[in-house]
Amino acid sequence: MSQQYSIEQIPVNFNKIIREVEQGEQIKITQQGKQIAVIISTAEYERLLNKVPTFGESIERFRQEYNLESADINPDEIFAGVRDKSPGREIIF
């Protein structure tokens, strides 16, 4: 759960705020009742900087690294028994 401090409270509570951040808390800073900033730990900051790629970005990187056409793979053979071709359950409207 994140704590919230007004900008005027920061100097008085600075040590407490730092301890809370070190323990993994996110500290919200407000000014005139509006949130203006968030203090986070260095670990959380680094995690946010090292953004995880999206699925599309990962697929594109995979396609650039591996030439599947030259791999001599027949997808019809590999995936022939994977898909369930049964009609499934009956749906009544």
Side-chain angles (χ1 to χ4, degrees), residues 17-68:
I17 291 170
I18 295 302
R19 281 193 305 274
E20 291 172 353
V21 169
E22 287 176 333
Q23 294 173 0
E25 293 287 330
Q26 297 178 357
I27 307 299
K28 297 177 182 176
I29 306 300
T30 62
Q31 186 174 34
Q32 298 176 343
K34 295 182 181 180
Q35 185 176 326
I36 59 167
V38 177
I39 302 174
I40 58 174
S41 68
T42 301
E44 180 68 7
Y45 177 72
E46 292 294 329
R47 186 188 70 78
L48 293 171
L49 282 179
N50 297 319
K51 183 187 119 199
V52 176
T54 65
F55 179 75
E57 291 168 343
S58 296
I59 290 289
E60 184 58 34
R61 192 175 92 219
F62 178 83
R63 288 179 176 159
Q64 290 174 358
E65 289 180 21
Y66 302 99
N67 184 358
L68 296 180

Side-chain angles (χ1 to χ4, degrees), residues 74-86:
N74 184 346
D76 295 330
E77 289 176 14
I78 293 174
F79 299 111
V82 174
R83 183 168 182 181
D84 181 7
K85 296 183 181 179
S86 65

